Amino acid sequence: MSTVTDTKRKAPAGERVADWADGRLGIYGLAKANMRKIFPDHWSFMLGEICLYSFIIIILTGVYLTLFFHPSMNEVVYHGSYEPMQGIRMSEAYASTLDISFDVRGGLLVRQIHHWAAVIFLAGMFVHMFRVFFTGAYRKPREINWLFGFLLFVLGMFTGFTGYSLPDDLLSGTGVRFTQGAILSMPIVGTYISMFLFGGEFPGTDIIARFYSIHILLLPGIMLGLVVGHLILVFFHKHTQFAGPGKTNKNVVGMPLLPVYMAKAGGFFFLVFGFISIVAAIASINPIWALGPYRPDQVSTGAQPDWYMGFAEGFVRVMPGWEINLWGHTLVLGVLIPLVLFGVILAALALYPFLESWITGDKREHHILDKPRNAPTRTALGVAWVTIYFVMLIGGGNDIWATHFHLSLNAISWFVRIAFFLGPVLAFIVTRRICLGLQRRDKEKVLHGRESGTIKRLPHGEFVEIHEPLGPEQLYALTAHEQYKPLEIGPTVDKNGVERKPSALQKLRARLSRSYYGEGNQIAKPTAEEYKEITSGHGHH
Amino acid sequence: MSSQEIPEERLPAEQDTAHGAVEVADDPFADPGLPAHRPRIQDIDERAAKRSERTVALMFTMSMLATVGFIASYVIFPVDKIVFIWPFGHVSALNFSLGLTLGLALFLIGTGAVHWARTLMSDVEVADDRHPIEAAPEVKAKVLADFAAGAQESALGRRKLIRNTMFGALALVPLSGVVLLRDLGPLPEKKLRKTLWAKGKQLVNMNTMEPLRPEDVVVGSLTFAMPEGLEEDAHDFQNQIAKAALMIVRIEPDDIKDKRQREWAHEGIVAFSKICTHVGCPISLYEQQTHHVLCPCHQSTFDLSDGARVIFGPAGHPLPQLRIGVNSEGNLEALGDFAEPVGPAFWERG
């Protein structure tokens, strides 16, 4: 690619390096499309960034930790610098974690940054995922990116679990035992999977080394690929934006990558890293030295997994202990049902975008985000899901609730059992009502203006509050959302008098469509006529 | 009501509503377009801009100082120095200072960069056009034609023998990988059904490592025991104790409700598996008055005076009981292995 510029001009060093690279990598082509790429601005768009940066922090600190950690279950007698553990038998994994915490300078800090970043990574993904859910950002063309993100969340859970199990301490060993017990409950294959995973009977001498390769290689390798794919798609699709003046489905309004987002996003990485470092300096996490090495016949009270596993823990705790013994076999429903529910409830979240697009029949691209209130049924379903999640978190920490709030364990379990069924229904109804109420308020604002807080006394003594009309920008922003009309099955007899039987699936789809967009399930936007009639001015407030 | 005029031509907006099956309501108000840019103080006042510049530079400078502080802390503080810092309590001086200085060094770079972007870089909003994700029809046609040509040239559809054997070979080849996983572990066989307990094995107190005598077990105490001959430094100690761990209490024989339990006890001394039948946590909490034991993991509760029946929580069946007696030396001994598998239930348990 020769340019027409003066060839005698001596190019600056930076340009010569770029030329060299361009000749081999074609970087100018890439930069042309991306260097001044526009990103819209909204506080909620940085949630995904928190996940990305904590993921990078986890990788950086994780590599450091591998330099000192010994993933071995060989038994050693401890003679390190932590006095209370002197002479105690433990695995090399546990001993090397003590060394990282007490003998390697800065090792404890890196360990704590690693663990805090993992906790924040999962929390960030959870919140980011629900930002995407409640704004409908998963709609076409972004369904695959939704699945990428979902997989990252699920894999993140298992990477976290295998990670906090590595120190082979009493708490995490108990969690591994629980996992083994859950695996045993699987019909037919349970005992085989358990034997193959643990290299024999529990706990065996292999599991730490196997978790290690899963934790540092297999899962993060897949996750790194998914993260890269996730980001490539964000660039390729261009970011979504909220409705507003000048923002359409055909453009993206914001500021360029170079320099604004380079500085803001780059700076935000340092903010996240700095924040986590400070947290790791002042708040201890997973103090394995206080727990002791793992022994299958010992346990501590108040055993809790990391927060993101509490949801699964809740199912296991509140499920009645059903066992069916037939023909010499045992179906361990008390453990199997929680295991299945855990998968089903997560899968429901993954598949929701496809269900919604089937109901709407919408094949268009969507780049303008919905305000949650403008999609009441979706928002209510999302809140119902989150309700189940948090009810189960309560169930997962039932002992903590019992001891901290002096409640009966029995009562908490029954509360969780009932709330699992009732909670989401209540949450659904309440959320939808709130959404519709907010829609009505938006309509009111459009038609009658904003409450100014100024009270005026009319000559005949009546007091009225002055409403200020909205500007054209606000009027547009409040009415730019789309409202679907519910799907009709159409006449069951066509014009030639031939009867047409709609299939059960078509009927279901029409019914769902009505429940999403039918009368009473969304508040019709104000029309131009309504607005004109009211604002033509007859002292109407 | 003095309304701000909305120009007529903006009502109603034009909107493309016909998209296949979808029907959507119109927008009542037209898009007024991007609002005009409002300059910041830094855009119009060079002194304010200079102030911002100094603020950013100050943050970057403080970050440098924090890094110097990090290195200094690393050198100065011994790894085992504990200090009291309000309100965090007793903390490692090294961890605290390293984390704080590293955190500040990073955080200040972040605040500097963000402040720079927000106050000094252009904040004029720009609109970029989107382009449809899907290919233009002629591109799609070209791709389909190319594919058809390639498929035609490969003759994959015509030469079925090649196609079918290739699918067969590709389907079989991953089997080697599956076969290679066979040696990950042994087959279950009867492993989960057997423990180290056997007729004549003495019960060894886990605390004293001495054989247990009936007089050692008093009403109201919870004692843990393991089979004689199992040493803590044995290579399979963890595997064996995971199944053999035993929990021993003494209950007044008249308080034992279960008949078989009374028979398998020795003068009211009963021995139950310590491993919870839910998912395998060791049970460790004992209520003297009610003879209830509680698993701290998932709160399954068993009544040791009634055949270790589950009275609360997610466990599905009672704790297995070990039949015990007293040998010629007056020590407690097992009269056999557990009659059923200990620990969590599994498919083959029956």
Side-chain angles (χ1 to χ4, degrees), chain A residues 134-251:
Chain A
F134 286 125
T135 57
Y138 53 72
R139 289 170 297 169
K140 188 186 172 187
R142 297 182 179 77
E143 302 98 321
I144 293 174
N145 225 14
W146 166 262
L147 289 181
F148 280 12
F150 171 80
L151 279 176
L152 279 166
F153 180 67
V154 175
L155 293 178
M157 283 165 57
F158 286 101
T159 314
F161 168 74
T162 49
Y164 72 66
S165 298
L166 288 181
D168 202 17
D169 56 285
L170 191 56
L171 177 63
S172 72
T174 306
V176 175
R177 172 83 229 214
F178 156 42
T179 309
Q180 191 255 353
I183 291 173
L184 283 184
S185 78
M186 294 155 85
I188 304 168
V189 294
T191 48
Y192 291 85
I193 293 184
S194 170
M195 290 287 165
F196 287 178
L197 181 63
F198 287 84
E201 287 187 73
F202 178 86
T205 51
D206 292 331
I207 193 64
I208 294 294
R210 289 180 182 179
F211 271 11
Y212 187 65
S213 84
I214 292 170
H215 176 74
I216 71 156
L217 183 68
L218 181 65
L219 294 180
I222 300 170
M223 288 176 75
L224 192 61
L226 286 170
V227 166
V228 171
H230 200 75
L231 290 177
I232 288 176
L233 282 178
V234 168
F235 266 73
F236 177 60
H237 292 145
K238 297 185 174 159
H239 209 285
T240 50
Q241 58 193 356
F242 279 101
K247 297 172 181 176
T248 71
N249 208 29
K250 296 199 174 85
N251 72 8

Side-chain angles (χ1 to χ4, degrees), chain A residues 201 204 238-239 246 297 525, chain B residues 27 130 206 239 243 274:
Chain A
E201 287 187 73
K238 297 185 174 159
H239 209 285
D297 61 329
K525 290 198 291 193
Chain B
D27 279 357
R130 290 184 192 273
M206 296 276 278
N239 283 13
K243 290 191 296 185
K274 194 188 176 188

Side-chain angles (χ1 to χ4, degrees), chain B residues 18-303:
Chain B
H19 288 280
V22 189
E23 255 197 290
V24 274
D26 283 340
D27 279 357
F29 300 102
D31 182 357
L34 273 184
H37 175 246
R38 293 165 63 122
R40 297 161 298 190
I41 180 92
Q42 289 86 355
D43 295 332
I44 43 181
D45 183 358
E46 181 53 28
R47 284 211 324 258
K50 274 271 182 247
R51 258 200 316 276
S52 288
E53 183 182 352
R54 281 196 300 271
T55 309
V56 173
L58 179 68
M59 289 176 189
F60 288 158
T61 312
M62 279 161 54
S63 166
M64 290 189 250
L65 291 176
T67 300
V68 173
F70 180 91
I71 298 168
S73 308
Y74 191 90
V75 176
I76 293 168
F77 293 113
V79 70
D80 54 357
K81 187 173 175 59
I82 303 292
V83 290
F84 181 84
I85 294 170
W86 189 87
F88 309 113
H90 291 278
V91 294
S92 153
L94 186 64
N95 185 65
F96 188 79
S97 55
L98 287 183
L100 222 54
T101 48
L102 177 66
L104 280 176
L106 293 162
F107 201 82
L108 287 164
I109 293 177
T111 51
V114 172
H115 193 65
W116 179 14
R118 289 175 65 94
T119 59
L120 294 172
M121 292 179 187
S122 163
D123 70 338
V124 180
E125 284 201 309
V126 204
D128 230 6
D129 286 339
R130 290 184 192 273
H131 305 286
I133 307 289
E134 56 196 25
E138 55 276 16
V139 174
K140 180 183 166 187
K142 168 86 169 84
V143 170
L144 290 182
D146 284 355
F147 178 79
Q152 174 71 28
E153 284 162 27
S154 77
L156 199 69
R158 201 154 51 82
R159 303 199 188 280
K160 295 240 164 49
L161 188 63
I162 291 184
R163 189 194 67 183
N164 294 347
T165 48
M166 179 183 76
F167 284 165
L170 287 176
L172 282 186
V173 103
L175 275 183
S176 313
V178 177
V179 168
L180 282 177
L181 295 179
R182 168 59 191 86
D183 275 350
L184 275 176
L187 296 180
E189 292 161 337
K190 302 277 177 211
K191 293 186 184 67
L192 295 175
R193 300 187 164 272
K194 284 187 300 210
T195 76
L196 221 51
W197 292 108
K199 187 165 168 50
K201 282 242 176 173
Q202 299 190 97
L203 277 60
V204 175
N205 187 327
M206 296 276 278
N207 286 329
T208 61
M209 295 312 236
E210 296 292 329
L212 262 176
R213 303 177 69 83
E215 54 270 30
D216 297 340
V217 185
V218 293
V219 173
S221 72
L222 177 67
T223 311
F224 298 130
M226 62 181 193
E228 68 168 306
L230 179 58
E231 300 294 335
E232 275 201 349
D233 50 5
H235 73 281
D236 63 346
F237 173 78
Q238 296 274 68
N239 283 13
Q240 294 302 344
I241 199 72
K243 290 191 296 185
L246 209 59
M247 166 166 74
I248 295 158
V249 293
R250 188 193 276 265
I251 305 174
E252 292 300 338
D254 293 342
D255 290 348
I256 299 179
K257 293 165 197 137
D258 186 83
K259 185 161 160 281
R260 193 187 78 165
Q261 184 189 354
R262 212 178 305 132
E263 283 165 11
W264 285 22
H266 173 76
E267 295 167 359
I269 300 174
V270 287
F272 283 101
S273 166
K274 194 188 176 188
I275 308 302
C276 183
T277 59
H278 177 222
V279 284
C281 283
I283 292 162
S284 58
L285 302 172
Y286 175 53
E287 265 184 3
Q288 301 176 353
Q289 303 304 319
T290 56
H291 303 299
H292 293 170
V293 284
L294 175 87
C295 173
C297 289
H298 307 109
Q299 291 80 41
S300 292
T301 310
F302 303 87
D303 184 354

Side-chain angles (χ1 to χ4, degrees), chain A residues 428-504:
Chain A
F428 181 88
I429 295 169
V430 170
T431 308
R432 201 148 81 150
R433 286 203 153 240
I434 292 175
C435 286
L436 293 175
L438 289 170
Q439 280 192 31
R440 282 195 191 91
R441 197 178 72 173
D442 282 351
K443 185 172 184 172
E444 175 81 13
K445 245 160 95 178
V446 168
L447 292 177
H448 300 278
R450 183 172 59 83
E451 289 176 7
S452 66
T454 312
I455 307 291
K456 197 164 87 176
R457 190 178 177 187
L458 300 179
H460 58 276
E462 183 194 349
F463 288 95
V464 292
E465 184 180 6
I466 298 179
H467 284 225
E468 283 174 5
L470 303 181
E473 280 147 20
Q474 283 167 297
L475 284 177
Y476 175 71
L478 285 178
T479 54
H481 57 283
E482 290 191 330
Q483 292 194 314
Y484 290 102
K485 293 183 178 128
L487 194 77
E488 302 289 343
I489 294 183
T492 47
V493 178
D494 71 11
K495 59 180 185 293
N496 300 326
V498 180
E499 209 172 317
R500 183 182 65 93
K501 256 215 156 114
S503 69

Side-chain angles (χ1 to χ4, degrees), chain A residues 20 69 81 121 241 306 373 477:
Chain A
W20 188 91
F69 179 70
S81 57
F121 178 49
Q241 58 193 356
D306 267 7
R373 68 187 62 171

Side-chain angles (χ1 to χ4, degrees), chain A residues 484-487 512-523:
Chain A
Y484 290 102
K485 293 183 178 128
L487 194 77
L512 284 172
S513 178
R514 269 202 307 282
S515 73
Y516 268 71
Y517 312 112
E519 212 171 325
N521 298 330
Q522 60 183 0
I523 305 300

